[in-house]
Amino acid sequence: MGKLVYILNGPNLNLLGRREPEIYGHQTLADVEAQCAALAKAGGLEARLLQSNWEGQIIDWIHEARDTAAGIIINPGALTHTSVAILDALNAFEGPVLEVHISNIHKREPFRHHSYTSMRADGVIAGFGVEGYGLAMRRMVSLLGGK
Ligand code: CA2
């Protein structure tokens, strides 16, 4: 087994592919998981996709990742724009952190333009649809020196 990468997803992302396809597309989180797992495996890594609607659960997973994961890909959903607590948790994680947004948050309402997570992220992807997760995983392979 290669090094583990957590793909953490915040509130409402369980609805991916089922609501608002004009913004978020038709693919589901299960599709994202399959794509990322294949890319991770090809690069000598292992992917674990997790989603919660609860801020505290996401923070607990980031803490857990300190002992179990080499890198984190995170789409905190709307918590991106509100959560100092998620930023603090990410600051306690030592490996690479990549932030993904399905939509281009800078093209949307002003309240989506600021991201607390970006103050810690080593890279940010926005507006590439769910393909952004795959791009982030490719970058993770480069950063973590997989195959
Ligand atoms: O573009 C993104 O990935 C966001 O992180 C998604 C969040 C939004 O609050 C951020 O500003 C940008 C919302 C996730 C909601 O996901 C849904 C997916 C399908 C249907 C309904 C909601």
Side-chain angles (χ1 to χ4, degrees):
M1 282 292 181
K3 291 176 185 167
L4 188 58
V5 176
Y6 277 14
I7 308 163
L8 300 178
N9 292 276
N12 298 307
L13 284 159
N14 53 312
L15 299 176
L16 200 60
R18 304 178 207 286
R19 299 270 190 287
E20 301 186 74
E22 64 287 354
I23 302 178
Y24 299 110
H26 288 280
Q27 286 186 290
T28 66
L29 221 48
D31 297 325
V32 170
E33 185 171 29
Q35 280 168 23
C36 286
L39 285 166
K41 195 173 174 196
L45 303 177
E46 192 192 343
R48 180 175 301 165
L49 186 141
L50 299 161
Q51 188 277 329
S52 178
N53 294 324
W54 296 81
E55 184 173 14
Q57 175 64 82
I58 293 164
I59 292 166
D60 283 348
W61 281 331
I62 296 168
H63 293 175
E64 179 188 291
R66 285 159 45 81
D67 296 320
T68 58
I72 295 176
I73 295 170
I74 186 165
N75 181 352
L79 295 172
T80 305
H81 319 298
T82 63
S83 182
V84 177
I86 288 179
L87 172 63
D88 287 347
L90 289 170
N91 279 334
F93 179 78
E94 287 185 0
V97 173
L98 302 178
E99 176 178 348
V100 173
H101 298 288
I102 299 165
S103 62
N104 180 359
I105 54 176
H106 304 290
K107 200 181 175 185
R108 300 183 66 188
E109 304 94 324
F111 62 81
R112 295 185 203 275
H113 294 181
H114 178 261
S115 164
Y116 284 102
T117 319
S118 293
M119 298 184 75
R120 165 63 181 87
D122 298 293
V124 182
I125 292 173
F128 285 71
V130 293
E131 282 178 64
Y133 289 92
L135 295 169
M137 186 56 81
R138 280 172 198 266
R139 177 66 178 152
M140 216 34 115
V141 169
S142 309
L143 291 171
L144 293 176
K147 267 186 235 164

